[in-house]
Amino acid sequence: MIAVGGAAIDATPNWLKDWAIRQFGTGDKHVLLSGVVVTAALLAVAIGIIAGGRFRWAAAAVGALGLVAVTAELSRAGARWYYPLPTAVGLVVAVSMLHRLLAVHRTDREGPGEQSLPSRRGFLALSIAAAVGSLAAIGIGNALSKAKEVARARLAIRLPSPTGPAPPSPTGINPDVPGLSSYLTPSTRFYRVDTALVLPQVDPGSWRLRIDGMVAHPVSLSMADILAMPLIERDITMTCVSNEVGGPYVSTARWLGLPLRALMDLAGVSPDAEQLFSTSTDGFTTSTPVTVALDGRDAMIAVGMNGQPLPVAHGFPARMIVPGLYGYVSGCKWISSITATTYAAKQAYWTQRGWDINGPIYTESRIDVPSEASPVKAGVVPVAGVAWAQHRGISKVEVSIDDGPWQPTSLSEAGGDDTWRQWWYRWNAAPGSHSIRVRATDRTGSVQTDRRQAPFPRGATGIQEVIVNVS
């Protein structure tokens, strides 16, 4: 099921991927897996109907489904020859059980036969036994997973104090505006968009990070090696390229990690290298422009998030973070290797599918409150949200009511150029229907564009507009 779902993700066109994210959000994976299960169940019903007349055709249909599964399993990154073995065993059991159930079914339908053949009650018992056996196989598979061991290993990790601690949180953040995003996003609420249908369970004790390719000295580091090196701590806002204008796929956390520049200096990256090609333990790949990753910004191999080891859902034991770039070219989770190379030599997962190779984040803003669905009473109403322009910073945020002139808003103090800023505005709302728009200006003087652009292939742009009804 997981392999088939992964293959379906790989084959999904960009327009369908964006539609699924808009419709289902972070639940898109659950929808996909549910679809695989429902489809398999419907096919099983069809095979059962076919089997009533022609067993060979039904057995061939089961074999065809198995071939699809085996092909999907072998297509996964890092697949080994033995990956399809459980499917092969399942096929043998399925065909055998189908034959046996068909024999019992025919005996019940045609009347009493030989005394050795089961009765209708035996048919039911055999069916229940098959279902229980299937569930037992799933339970055994779950018991053999590493999830519990990895969870215990994660809790046992003690993060060191950073040699370069994050600056104190700025004053004036988190104003008393219900519904406004907090300056730091709790790890449990931090957005998650990736291709992993099952979270990779990586043992930090055996995990290593390899640096190779166009380097003078290939490097291999363990978790203990990284924790023993000078680490930095920084507040950084991350954004997904799939985020629509005003969308939820942007969050801020306090990250602890090894500076990427120090790691690359240790390996000695060739001046001819164009990209850092990162590979996850599940085979996912990203490509980060070398000139951006090593230009002095706080790019890092993160091992901590909000004072704790990385959650498994966010890349434990380590992930890459490069402020100012969308996650698809900078946020490799469960990272296992970094290869310094050229764009001609390697293409990453999303750039193979037509997405831009650079992935710089635009100057953007969002209205958190009021939302179109919330009731608004006449009087003074707080309008508030966040704005971001990673590695450039936000200097100004303005709102426009009913297409009127742009009005300046109040801003929280900046936590740095790599974090978002909270903004708020006191609006004297009159009864009726009103539109609210927001735009930001970064520290370079660049004003958020009003040109509408879809996420594909280099991120969405435009001005968010919210329609509210005031009573």
PDB file of all heavy atoms in Angstrom, residues 126-159:
ATOM      1  N   LEU A 126     -13.884 -19.807   7.675  1.00  0.00           N
ATOM      2  CA  LEU A 126     -12.680 -19.672   6.866  1.00  0.00           C
ATOM      3  C   LEU A 126     -12.456 -18.216   6.464  1.00  0.00           C
ATOM      4  O   LEU A 126     -11.329 -17.715   6.481  1.00  0.00           O
ATOM      5  CB  LEU A 126     -12.785 -20.564   5.633  1.00  0.00           C
ATOM      6  CG  LEU A 126     -11.533 -20.712   4.773  1.00  0.00           C
ATOM      7  CD1 LEU A 126     -10.383 -21.289   5.583  1.00  0.00           C
ATOM      8  CD2 LEU A 126     -11.827 -21.610   3.558  1.00  0.00           C
ATOM      9  N   SER A 127     -13.535 -17.528   6.132  1.00  0.00           N
ATOM     10  CA  SER A 127     -13.422 -16.118   5.757  1.00  0.00           C
ATOM     11  C   SER A 127     -12.931 -15.276   6.927  1.00  0.00           C
ATOM     12  O   SER A 127     -12.054 -14.416   6.775  1.00  0.00           O
ATOM     13  CB  SER A 127     -14.787 -15.590   5.275  1.00  0.00           C
ATOM     14  OG  SER A 127     -15.244 -16.329   4.170  1.00  0.00           O
ATOM     15  N   ILE A 128     -13.503 -15.543   8.108  1.00  0.00           N
ATOM     16  CA  ILE A 128     -13.084 -14.797   9.293  1.00  0.00           C
ATOM     17  C   ILE A 128     -11.617 -15.095   9.610  1.00  0.00           C
ATOM     18  O   ILE A 128     -10.839 -14.189   9.951  1.00  0.00           O
ATOM     19  CB  ILE A 128     -13.979 -15.147  10.491  1.00  0.00           C
ATOM     20  CG1 ILE A 128     -15.411 -14.626  10.244  1.00  0.00           C
ATOM     21  CG2 ILE A 128     -13.418 -14.553  11.780  1.00  0.00           C
ATOM     22  CD1 ILE A 128     -16.404 -15.040  11.315  1.00  0.00           C
ATOM     23  N   ALA A 129     -11.229 -16.354   9.474  1.00  0.00           N
ATOM     24  CA  ALA A 129      -9.830 -16.720   9.749  1.00  0.00           C
ATOM     25  C   ALA A 129      -8.890 -15.992   8.797  1.00  0.00           C
ATOM     26  O   ALA A 129      -7.807 -15.530   9.198  1.00  0.00           O
ATOM     27  CB  ALA A 129      -9.660 -18.230   9.616  1.00  0.00           C
ATOM     28  N   ALA A 130      -9.298 -15.847   7.540  1.00  0.00           N
ATOM     29  CA  ALA A 130      -8.462 -15.130   6.571  1.00  0.00           C
ATOM     30  C   ALA A 130      -8.307 -13.668   6.961  1.00  0.00           C
ATOM     31  O   ALA A 130      -7.209 -13.094   6.881  1.00  0.00           O
ATOM     32  CB  ALA A 130      -9.070 -15.244   5.173  1.00  0.00           C
ATOM     33  N   ALA A 131      -9.417 -13.060   7.392  1.00  0.00           N
ATOM     34  CA  ALA A 131      -9.367 -11.655   7.800  1.00  0.00           C
ATOM     35  C   ALA A 131      -8.493 -11.468   9.035  1.00  0.00           C
ATOM     36  O   ALA A 131      -7.678 -10.539   9.108  1.00  0.00           O
ATOM     37  CB  ALA A 131     -10.782 -11.145   8.069  1.00  0.00           C
ATOM     38  N   VAL A 132      -8.657 -12.377  10.016  1.00  0.00           N
ATOM     39  CA  VAL A 132      -7.847 -12.293  11.232  1.00  0.00           C
ATOM     40  C   VAL A 132      -6.371 -12.491  10.900  1.00  0.00           C
ATOM     41  O   VAL A 132      -5.487 -11.801  11.433  1.00  0.00           O
ATOM     42  CB  VAL A 132      -8.318 -13.330  12.263  1.00  0.00           C
ATOM     43  CG1 VAL A 132      -7.349 -13.403  13.446  1.00  0.00           C
ATOM     44  CG2 VAL A 132      -9.711 -12.980  12.758  1.00  0.00           C
ATOM     45  N   GLY A 133      -6.091 -13.425  10.013  1.00  0.00           N
ATOM     46  CA  GLY A 133      -4.705 -13.642   9.610  1.00  0.00           C
ATOM     47  C   GLY A 133      -4.097 -12.418   8.955  1.00  0.00           C
ATOM     48  O   GLY A 133      -2.926 -12.080   9.195  1.00  0.00           O
ATOM     49  N   SER A 134      -4.892 -11.729   8.139  1.00  0.00           N
ATOM     50  CA  SER A 134      -4.401 -10.500   7.499  1.00  0.00           C
ATOM     51  C   SER A 134      -4.086  -9.435   8.535  1.00  0.00           C
ATOM     52  O   SER A 134      -3.045  -8.771   8.473  1.00  0.00           O
ATOM     53  CB  SER A 134      -5.446  -9.980   6.502  1.00  0.00           C
ATOM     54  OG  SER A 134      -5.680 -10.926   5.490  1.00  0.00           O
ATOM     55  N   LEU A 135      -4.998  -9.263   9.495  1.00  0.00           N
ATOM     56  CA  LEU A 135      -4.764  -8.269  10.545  1.00  0.00           C
ATOM     57  C   LEU A 135      -3.559  -8.641  11.398  1.00  0.00           C
ATOM     58  O   LEU A 135      -2.789  -7.774  11.825  1.00  0.00           O
ATOM     59  CB  LEU A 135      -6.010  -8.135  11.423  1.00  0.00           C
ATOM     60  CG  LEU A 135      -7.246  -7.529  10.732  1.00  0.00           C
ATOM     61  CD1 LEU A 135      -8.451  -7.565  11.671  1.00  0.00           C
ATOM     62  CD2 LEU A 135      -6.973  -6.104  10.293  1.00  0.00           C
ATOM     63  N   ALA A 136      -3.380  -9.947  11.640  1.00  0.00           N
ATOM     64  CA  ALA A 136      -2.221 -10.385  12.413  1.00  0.00           C
ATOM     65  C   ALA A 136      -0.928 -10.066  11.670  1.00  0.00           C
ATOM     66  O   ALA A 136       0.071  -9.651  12.273  1.00  0.00           O
ATOM     67  CB  ALA A 136      -2.316 -11.884  12.690  1.00  0.00           C
ATOM     68  N   ALA A 137      -0.944 -10.232  10.347  1.00  0.00           N
ATOM     69  CA  ALA A 137       0.250  -9.918   9.555  1.00  0.00           C
ATOM     70  C   ALA A 137       0.580  -8.430   9.646  1.00  0.00           C
ATOM     71  O   ALA A 137       1.746  -8.037   9.768  1.00  0.00           O
ATOM     72  CB  ALA A 137       0.026 -10.321   8.099  1.00  0.00           C
ATOM     73  N   ILE A 138      -0.466  -7.589   9.604  1.00  0.00           N
ATOM     74  CA  ILE A 138      -0.255  -6.147   9.745  1.00  0.00           C
ATOM     75  C   ILE A 138       0.321  -5.837  11.128  1.00  0.00           C
ATOM     76  O   ILE A 138       1.249  -5.032  11.277  1.00  0.00           O
ATOM     77  CB  ILE A 138      -1.576  -5.386   9.531  1.00  0.00           C
ATOM     78  CG1 ILE A 138      -2.037  -5.540   8.079  1.00  0.00           C
ATOM     79  CG2 ILE A 138      -1.417  -3.906   9.876  1.00  0.00           C
ATOM     80  CD1 ILE A 138      -3.400  -4.959   7.814  1.00  0.00           C
ATOM     81  N   GLY A 139      -0.239  -6.500  12.152  1.00  0.00           N
ATOM     82  CA  GLY A 139       0.260  -6.273  13.509  1.00  0.00           C
ATOM     83  C   GLY A 139       1.709  -6.676  13.669  1.00  0.00           C
ATOM     84  O   GLY A 139       2.497  -5.973  14.315  1.00  0.00           O
ATOM     85  N   ILE A 140       2.085  -7.789  13.064  1.00  0.00           N
ATOM     86  CA  ILE A 140       3.483  -8.235  13.141  1.00  0.00           C
ATOM     87  C   ILE A 140       4.383  -7.224  12.446  1.00  0.00           C
ATOM     88  O   ILE A 140       5.465  -6.881  12.933  1.00  0.00           O
ATOM     89  CB  ILE A 140       3.631  -9.623  12.506  1.00  0.00           C
ATOM     90  CG1 ILE A 140       2.902 -10.668  13.362  1.00  0.00           C
ATOM     91  CG2 ILE A 140       5.112  -9.999  12.356  1.00  0.00           C
ATOM     92  CD1 ILE A 140       2.823 -12.038  12.726  1.00  0.00           C
ATOM     93  N   GLY A 141       3.934  -6.736  11.290  1.00  0.00           N
ATOM     94  CA  GLY A 141       4.722  -5.729  10.574  1.00  0.00           C
ATOM     95  C   GLY A 141       4.929  -4.478  11.404  1.00  0.00           C
ATOM     96  O   GLY A 141       6.044  -3.940  11.466  1.00  0.00           O
ATOM     97  N   ASN A 142       3.862  -4.016  12.066  1.00  0.00           N
ATOM     98  CA  ASN A 142       3.992  -2.833  12.917  1.00  0.00           C
ATOM     99  C   ASN A 142       4.926  -3.097  14.099  1.00  0.00           C
ATOM    100  O   ASN A 142       5.690  -2.224  14.520  1.00  0.00           O
ATOM    101  CB  ASN A 142       2.616  -2.397  13.424  1.00  0.00           C
ATOM    102  CG  ASN A 142       1.764  -1.793  12.327  1.00  0.00           C
ATOM    103  OD1 ASN A 142       2.292  -1.281  11.339  1.00  0.00           O
ATOM    104  ND2 ASN A 142       0.450  -1.848  12.483  1.00  0.00           N
ATOM    105  N   ALA A 143       4.854  -4.311  14.657  1.00  0.00           N
ATOM    106  CA  ALA A 143       5.707  -4.642  15.799  1.00  0.00           C
ATOM    107  C   ALA A 143       7.181  -4.660  15.408  1.00  0.00           C
ATOM    108  O   ALA A 143       8.060  -4.380  16.230  1.00  0.00           O
ATOM    109  CB  ALA A 143       5.299  -5.998  16.372  1.00  0.00           C
ATOM    110  N   LEU A 144       7.453  -5.003  14.144  1.00  0.00           N
ATOM    111  CA  LEU A 144       8.835  -5.062  13.684  1.00  0.00           C
ATOM    112  C   LEU A 144       9.378  -3.694  13.292  1.00  0.00           C
ATOM    113  O   LEU A 144      10.566  -3.560  13.004  1.00  0.00           O
ATOM    114  CB  LEU A 144       8.942  -6.013  12.478  1.00  0.00           C
ATOM    115  CG  LEU A 144       8.694  -7.496  12.764  1.00  0.00           C
ATOM    116  CD1 LEU A 144       8.702  -8.284  11.465  1.00  0.00           C
ATOM    117  CD2 LEU A 144       9.729  -8.042  13.729  1.00  0.00           C
ATOM    118  N   SER A 145       8.527  -2.674  13.254  1.00  0.00           N
ATOM    119  CA  SER A 145       8.999  -1.346  12.867  1.00  0.00           C
ATOM    120  C   SER A 145       9.890  -0.766  13.967  1.00  0.00           C
ATOM    121  O   SER A 145       9.866  -1.207  15.117  1.00  0.00           O
ATOM    122  CB  SER A 145       7.817  -0.405  12.622  1.00  0.00           C
ATOM    123  OG  SER A 145       7.222  -0.025  13.835  1.00  0.00           O
ATOM    124  N   LYS A 146      10.637   0.257  13.590  1.00  0.00           N
ATOM    125  CA  LYS A 146      11.598   0.856  14.515  1.00  0.00           C
ATOM    126  C   LYS A 146      11.028   2.066  15.261  1.00  0.00           C
ATOM    127  O   LYS A 146      11.767   2.746  15.964  1.00  0.00           O
ATOM    128  CB  LYS A 146      12.842   1.298  13.750  1.00  0.00           C
ATOM    129  CG  LYS A 146      13.619   0.176  13.071  1.00  0.00           C
ATOM    130  CD  LYS A 146      14.829   0.742  12.348  1.00  0.00           C
ATOM    131  CE  LYS A 146      15.636  -0.342  11.673  1.00  0.00           C
ATOM    132  NZ  LYS A 146      16.805   0.235  10.948  1.00  0.00           N
ATOM    133  N   ALA A 147       9.743   2.324  15.101  1.00  0.00           N
ATOM    134  CA  ALA A 147       9.185   3.571  15.620  1.00  0.00           C
ATOM    135  C   ALA A 147       9.419   3.738  17.119  1.00  0.00           C
ATOM    136  O   ALA A 147       9.847   4.806  17.581  1.00  0.00           O
ATOM    137  CB  ALA A 147       7.693   3.642  15.302  1.00  0.00           C
ATOM    138  N   LYS A 148       9.159   2.696  17.903  1.00  0.00           N
ATOM    139  CA  LYS A 148       9.316   2.817  19.349  1.00  0.00           C
ATOM    140  C   LYS A 148      10.777   2.976  19.733  1.00  0.00           C
ATOM    141  O   LYS A 148      11.121   3.765  20.628  1.00  0.00           O
ATOM    142  CB  LYS A 148       8.699   1.596  20.035  1.00  0.00           C
ATOM    143  CG  LYS A 148       7.179   1.532  19.919  1.00  0.00           C
ATOM    144  CD  LYS A 148       6.616   0.330  20.664  1.00  0.00           C
ATOM    145  CE  LYS A 148       5.093   0.294  20.544  1.00  0.00           C
ATOM    146  NZ  LYS A 148       4.520  -0.883  21.244  1.00  0.00           N
ATOM    147  N   GLU A 149      11.651   2.218  19.050  1.00  0.00           N
ATOM    148  CA  GLU A 149      13.076   2.327  19.361  1.00  0.00           C
ATOM    149  C   GLU A 149      13.599   3.722  19.040  1.00  0.00           C
ATOM    150  O   GLU A 149      14.370   4.300  19.810  1.00  0.00           O
ATOM    151  CB  GLU A 149      13.860   1.284  18.568  1.00  0.00           C
ATOM    152  CG  GLU A 149      13.541  -0.155  18.935  1.00  0.00           C
ATOM    153  CD  GLU A 149      14.296  -1.129  18.056  1.00  0.00           C
ATOM    154  OE1 GLU A 149      15.208  -0.694  17.340  1.00  0.00           O
ATOM    155  OE2 GLU A 149      13.971  -2.330  18.098  1.00  0.00           O
ATOM    156  N   VAL A 150      13.178   4.263  17.901  1.00  0.00           N
ATOM    157  CA  VAL A 150      13.628   5.600  17.514  1.00  0.00           C
ATOM    158  C   VAL A 150      13.081   6.639  18.482  1.00  0.00           C
ATOM    159  O   VAL A 150      13.786   7.590  18.855  1.00  0.00           O
ATOM    160  CB  VAL A 150      13.206   5.906  16.069  1.00  0.00           C
ATOM    161  CG1 VAL A 150      13.444   7.368  15.728  1.00  0.00           C
ATOM    162  CG2 VAL A 150      13.957   5.011  15.097  1.00  0.00           C
ATOM    163  N   ALA A 151      11.839   6.481  18.919  1.00  0.00           N
ATOM    164  CA  ALA A 151      11.259   7.429  19.871  1.00  0.00           C
ATOM    165  C   ALA A 151      12.057   7.440  21.172  1.00  0.00           C
ATOM    166  O   ALA A 151      12.320   8.509  21.741  1.00  0.00           O
ATOM    167  CB  ALA A 151       9.796   7.073  20.137  1.00  0.00           C
ATOM    168  N   ARG A 152      12.447   6.259  21.650  1.00  0.00           N
ATOM    169  CA  ARG A 152      13.244   6.189  22.877  1.00  0.00           C
ATOM    170  C   ARG A 152      14.625   6.813  22.665  1.00  0.00           C
ATOM    171  O   ARG A 152      15.140   7.526  23.534  1.00  0.00           O
ATOM    172  CB  ARG A 152      13.374   4.737  23.343  1.00  0.00           C
ATOM    173  CG  ARG A 152      12.114   4.157  23.955  1.00  0.00           C
ATOM    174  CD  ARG A 152      12.402   2.854  24.682  1.00  0.00           C
ATOM    175  NE  ARG A 152      12.798   1.800  23.747  1.00  0.00           N
ATOM    176  CZ  ARG A 152      11.956   0.929  23.209  1.00  0.00           C
ATOM    177  NH1 ARG A 152      10.666   0.995  23.513  1.00  0.00           N
ATOM    178  NH2 ARG A 152      12.392  -0.004  22.383  1.00  0.00           N
ATOM    179  N   ALA A 153      15.224   6.535  21.505  1.00  0.00           N
ATOM    180  CA  ALA A 153      16.548   7.093  21.222  1.00  0.00           C
ATOM    181  C   ALA A 153      16.491   8.609  21.133  1.00  0.00           C
ATOM    182  O   ALA A 153      17.409   9.307  21.585  1.00  0.00           O
ATOM    183  CB  ALA A 153      17.088   6.511  19.920  1.00  0.00           C
ATOM    184  N   ARG A 154      15.423   9.137  20.564  1.00  0.00           N
ATOM    185  CA  ARG A 154      15.273  10.595  20.466  1.00  0.00           C
ATOM    186  C   ARG A 154      15.170  11.224  21.848  1.00  0.00           C
ATOM    187  O   ARG A 154      15.792  12.258  22.124  1.00  0.00           O
ATOM    188  CB  ARG A 154      14.030  10.940  19.637  1.00  0.00           C
ATOM    189  CG  ARG A 154      13.732  12.424  19.555  1.00  0.00           C
ATOM    190  CD  ARG A 154      12.480  12.710  18.743  1.00  0.00           C
ATOM    191  NE  ARG A 154      12.154  14.127  18.817  1.00  0.00           N
ATOM    192  CZ  ARG A 154      11.375  14.659  19.741  1.00  0.00           C
ATOM    193  NH1 ARG A 154      10.822  13.880  20.683  1.00  0.00           N
ATOM    194  NH2 ARG A 154      11.131  15.967  19.755  1.00  0.00           N
ATOM    195  N   LEU A 155      14.391  10.597  22.737  1.00  0.00           N
ATOM    196  CA  LEU A 155      14.235  11.144  24.089  1.00  0.00           C
ATOM    197  C   LEU A 155      15.540  11.092  24.872  1.00  0.00           C
ATOM    198  O   LEU A 155      15.746  11.889  25.799  1.00  0.00           O
ATOM    199  CB  LEU A 155      13.141  10.372  24.835  1.00  0.00           C
ATOM    200  CG  LEU A 155      11.705  10.574  24.322  1.00  0.00           C
ATOM    201  CD1 LEU A 155      10.742   9.675  25.079  1.00  0.00           C
ATOM    202  CD2 LEU A 155      11.279  12.035  24.458  1.00  0.00           C
ATOM    203  N   ALA A 156      16.428  10.170  24.515  1.00  0.00           N
ATOM    204  CA  ALA A 156      17.690  10.028  25.243  1.00  0.00           C
ATOM    205  C   ALA A 156      18.738  11.056  24.819  1.00  0.00           C
ATOM    206  O   ALA A 156      19.747  11.224  25.504  1.00  0.00           O
ATOM    207  CB  ALA A 156      18.243   8.620  25.044  1.00  0.00           C
ATOM    208  N   ILE A 157      18.510  11.739  23.710  1.00  0.00           N
ATOM    209  CA  ILE A 157      19.494  12.710  23.220  1.00  0.00           C
ATOM    210  C   ILE A 157      19.456  13.973  24.082  1.00  0.00           C
ATOM    211  O   ILE A 157      18.389  14.500  24.394  1.00  0.00           O
ATOM    212  CB  ILE A 157      19.224  13.064  21.740  1.00  0.00           C
ATOM    213  CG1 ILE A 157      19.570  11.875  20.850  1.00  0.00           C
ATOM    214  CG2 ILE A 157      20.031  14.293  21.314  1.00  0.00           C
ATOM    215  CD1 ILE A 157      19.274  12.111  19.386  1.00  0.00           C
ATOM    216  N   ARG A 158      20.629  14.449  24.451  1.00  0.00           N
ATOM    217  CA  ARG A 158      20.756  15.699  25.195  1.00  0.00           C
ATOM    218  C   ARG A 158      21.444  16.718  24.290  1.00  0.00           C
ATOM    219  O   ARG A 158      22.615  16.565  23.951  1.00  0.00           O
ATOM    220  CB  ARG A 158      21.566  15.486  26.478  1.00  0.00           C
ATOM    221  CG  ARG A 158      20.885  14.559  27.472  1.00  0.00           C
ATOM    222  CD  ARG A 158      19.594  15.191  28.014  1.00  0.00           C
ATOM    223  NE  ARG A 158      18.890  14.282  28.923  1.00  0.00           N
ATOM    224  CZ  ARG A 158      17.876  13.526  28.559  1.00  0.00           C
ATOM    225  NH1 ARG A 158      17.468  13.547  27.295  1.00  0.00           N
ATOM    226  NH2 ARG A 158      17.275  12.736  29.432  1.00  0.00           N
ATOM    227  N   LEU A 159      20.714  17.713  23.897  1.00  0.00           N
ATOM    228  CA  LEU A 159      21.274  18.725  23.009  1.00  0.00           C
ATOM    229  C   LEU A 159      22.248  19.614  23.765  1.00  0.00           C
ATOM    230  O   LEU A 159      21.965  20.034  24.894  1.00  0.00           O
ATOM    231  CB  LEU A 159      20.155  19.583  22.408  1.00  0.00           C
ATOM    232  CG  LEU A 159      19.147  18.865  21.516  1.00  0.00           C
ATOM    233  CD1 LEU A 159      18.051  19.839  21.072  1.00  0.00           C
ATOM    234  CD2 LEU A 159      19.827  18.248  20.303  1.00  0.00           C
TER     235      LEU A 159
END
